[in-house]
DNA sequence: CGAGTGCCATTCCTGCAGGTTATCAAAATC
DNA sequence: GATTTTGATAACCTGCAGGAATGGCACTCG
């Protein structure tokens, strides 16, 4: 026969009071009930846990040992209940977030900060990957939500827009820009590598085409920061997310293109609640989306500061 | 409402099988009973722990979290029960042993070795103190058993003889010893300090008196090993427990006195089971005594009853 | 498209674990 | 020896956990 928690609770209270009558009162039961509980407990462990003397109850060495264990056990049981309760309401557990090149700088840090403030018991893990990779990671259950480039058409995924970004030209200080983006038609371009985010490269090409030219790409690199530094070094120009201004690379100007094609939306994507074979909707995801998505039309979750200069 | 172990057990089995019918079978209950248990559990934590899909049951994130906790909880509950059961039968817990100058070398290490072999879960703490100090430590509950010089007359203590020791003369190699202990009547004596064990010093004096002289003590030290080395260095001679031969100090001869007065008995002492106000008899003490006391022709001073069930 | 199947939920019933009341028993005090 | 204190026991009662039967949903298959 196995120990059960109610018995242990009774035993602990009795170990405090060392008096059957009082302990029974504290437990809101009558004294015989407590006597029977303790007797059952003692029969389970095969011997006495308490010594009943005249007007004096005391713990045996074995009782002392059980008392320590029981205390820990009950405390852990309470904690298990509490954390599970939190998890059920999306306030505890592990949330795996995917994010891409742009969302990191744009508004994600702020969203994360607010989320961790509001749900401190939630463990967050971040995975840096492109939009297509995020989509397959979502499908396979490797991440729970992702910051993806919209639009996403996928039968098992839902999305909501949370950020708006646009490409801006990154040029060395002093380079002429009178005629807008078209001024760069003959400049060499440095861009993020196609293997990092082909959709981003496509977007750069599309934007240039709207300005009437096709970019001559002379260098591909893996990091946005590298792009800006190559621009600074005069290797070429580039089109980068507007939020790149947060990186503060000196002698590099970020200037708006004024083109509608330069804009794009970043949204949150997650598995639909009843997608075939999938788990039910994770309340953690729900809480994260609610916090990230503030419906003011398509107002960005984070205000981008005006460009310097 | 608090979580209880039976629910958690059911939940764990269900989490393994992910099938109500099978899990119920493994638990030896019917499926509706399991359904109700899980429902109760879910109502306690305030939300679903499992998703019931078509021919597919899966854990929610919260369920996953509870599963981890529940596993640890049940394992610890089992351990608590097991160790308490051991403690009840005197096979776990803490045994505090007092011992004196002689018992350490004489037979205690062997007894201890056998005890730890037989009761590996018992934690042993040793306290080095003289017989009178052990007696008062026993009275106050600071130690559980003690190796004391017999006889002990005390209303609350019981004893049993376990070892027999005798004093032997420790003399430098080459010193004449034709006439036995009386040969040393004019030699300077080195002895253990009175503050360490006055009864031991008394015994040395008593033994010398039996040989017809009173020892001239020129040096008192705190350690038996020091005594032997002073003998080796020619500072004086001494009477030491026979077991001092285990220390192997070169150029020191240990020779028997042949005197009946040189002998003494070492016994185990412990609190009587029903001494006023004390706890009941500690089964650990019982086991220790039984192991230490091996009647070899000596009638037992006390009969050891089997432990009450 | 309707019958078939697998599987969890619901309902109703029963036995017993665990509680209550009343009483007993042992030990110490007056 | 009567009284008091306090845990154990006995007898009874009841809510709830578990069993048996059935329902109902979702998907499959001929």
């Amino acid at each position: 026969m196995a120990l059960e928690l109610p018995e242990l609770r009774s035993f602990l209270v009795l170990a405090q009071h060392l008096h059957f009558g009082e302990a029974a009162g504290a437990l809101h039961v009558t004294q015989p009930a407590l006597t029977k509980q303790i007797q059952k407990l003692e029969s389970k462990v095969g011997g006495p846990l308490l010594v009943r003397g005249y007007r004096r109850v005391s713990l045996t060495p074995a009782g002392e040992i059980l008392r320590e264990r029981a205390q820990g056990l009950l405390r852990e049981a309470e904690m298990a209940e509490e954390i599970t309760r939190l998890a059920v309401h999306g306030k505890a557990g592990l949330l795996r977030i995917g994010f891409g090149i742009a969302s990191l700088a744009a508004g994600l840090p702020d969203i994360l900060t607010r989320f961790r403030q509001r749900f401190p018991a939630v463990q967050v893990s971040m995975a840096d990957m492109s939009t297509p990779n995020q989509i397959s990671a979502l499908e396979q259950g490797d991440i729970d939500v992702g910051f993806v480039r919209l639009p996403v058409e996928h039968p098992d995924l839902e999305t909501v827009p949370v950020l708006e970004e646009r490409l801006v030209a990154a040029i060395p200080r002093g380079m002429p820009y009178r005629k807008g983006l078209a001024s760069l038609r003959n400049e060499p371009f440095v861009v993020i590598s196609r293997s990092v985010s082909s959709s981003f490269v496509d977007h750069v090409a599309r934007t240039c085409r709207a300005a009437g030219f096709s970019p001559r790409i002379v260098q591909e690199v893996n990091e946005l920061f590298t792009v800006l530094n190559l621009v600074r070094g005069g290797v070429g120009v580039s089109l980068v997310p507007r939020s790149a201004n947060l990186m503060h690379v000196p002698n590099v100007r970020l200037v708006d293109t004024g083109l509608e094609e330069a804009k794009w939306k970043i949204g949150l994507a997650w598995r639909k609640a009843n997608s075939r074979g999938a788990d039910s909707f994770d309340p953690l995801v729900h809480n994260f989306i609610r916090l990230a998505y503030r419906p003011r039309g398509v107002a960005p979750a984070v205000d981008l500061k005006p460009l310097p200069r």
Side-chain angles (χ1 to χ4, degrees), chain A:
Chain A
M1 228 193 290
L3 302 188
E4 299 301 338
L5 298 188
E7 307 161 353
L8 295 182
R9 272 184 273 271
S10 299
F11 174 68
L12 275 188
V13 173
L14 178 55
Q16 282 175 343
H17 289 77
L18 291 175
H19 187 290
F20 278 73
E22 288 177 22
L27 289 163
H28 304 109
V29 296
T30 55
Q31 172 260 317
L34 177 59
T35 290
K36 277 200 288 188
Q37 278 194 12
I38 300 299
Q39 284 175 342
K40 194 176 60 176
L41 190 56
E42 288 181 325
S43 86
K44 285 180 182 178
V45 299
L49 296 168
L50 297 138
V51 183
R52 289 83 158 163
Y54 176 69
R55 295 202 191 185
R56 172 176 185 135
V57 173
S58 58
L59 290 176
T60 63
E64 206 71 66
I65 283 178
L66 180 59
R67 190 167 63 101
E68 294 165 17
R69 302 288 177 140
Q71 240 157 7
L73 213 52
L74 289 173
R75 218 182 36 236
E76 284 187 51
E78 265 180 44
M79 290 183 64
E81 180 177 353
E82 187 54 29
I83 199 158
T84 307
R85 180 168 289 144
L86 286 176
V88 159
H89 295 110
K91 293 174 182 170
L94 171 66
L95 181 67
R96 295 160 305 172
I97 303 173
F99 66 96
I101 188 81
S103 48
L104 178 60
L108 195 144
D110 182 58
I111 291 175
L112 267 187
T113 302
R114 286 191 294 132
F115 184 75
R116 310 200 68 157
Q117 231 161 6
R118 187 140 155 56
F119 302 102
V122 176
Q123 186 189 342
V124 173
S125 99
M126 308 287 303
D128 182 353
M129 51 178 98
S130 69
T131 289
N133 284 348
Q134 285 188 59
I135 287 171
S136 65
L138 282 167
E139 281 175 334
Q140 299 187 321
D142 290 335
I143 61 174
D144 302 307
V145 282
F147 285 83
V148 295
R149 171 190 295 264
L150 296 181
V152 168
E153 305 293 346
H154 193 289
D156 291 340
L157 299 183
E158 263 181 297
T159 58
V160 73
V162 290
L163 303 168
E164 196 174 70
E165 256 290 15
R166 61 175 179 278
L167 293 177
V168 295
I171 55 178
R173 177 173 304 282
M175 175 175 285
Y177 193 71
R178 296 273 150 70
K179 291 181 276 183
L181 184 54
S183 317
L184 307 181
R185 73 159 54 233
N186 294 318
E187 297 293 336
F189 269 70
V190 179
V191 294
I192 287 287
S193 163
R194 225 182 169 80
S195 63
V196 172
S197 175
S198 68
S199 61
F200 185 86
V201 182
D202 290 343
H203 195 207
V204 169
R206 205 158 55 243
T207 305
C208 289
R209 216 172 307 123
F213 69 101
S214 206
R216 180 165 57 91
I217 294 171
V218 297
Q219 181 78 48
E220 291 193 350
V221 298
N222 289 321
E223 299 277 344
L224 182 56
F225 189 68
T226 312
V227 170
L228 295 178
N229 277 285
L230 290 181
V231 170
R232 179 191 181 190
V235 175
V237 300
S238 189
L239 285 172
V240 298
R242 178 181 132 130
S243 53
N245 68 339
L246 297 173
M247 288 185 178
H248 295 299
V249 175
N251 297 323
V252 173
R253 273 179 74 202
L254 299 180
V255 286
D256 207 293
T257 62
L259 297 170
E260 205 50 40
E261 286 82 357
K263 294 181 181 173
W264 80 93
K265 285 188 172 59
I266 295 171
L268 266 178
W270 65 95
R271 280 184 298 283
K272 276 183 182 164
N274 290 329
S275 67
R276 190 186 164 82
D279 304 18
S280 86
F281 190 53
D282 188 343
L284 255 174
V285 175
H286 181 257
N287 284 337
F288 187 73
I289 295 162
R290 287 236 305 191
L291 185 134
Y293 174 60
R294 304 200 285 187
R296 281 177 206 151
V298 227
V302 180
D303 303 352
L304 292 173
K305 291 165 230 158
L307 288 171
R309 209 68 33 136

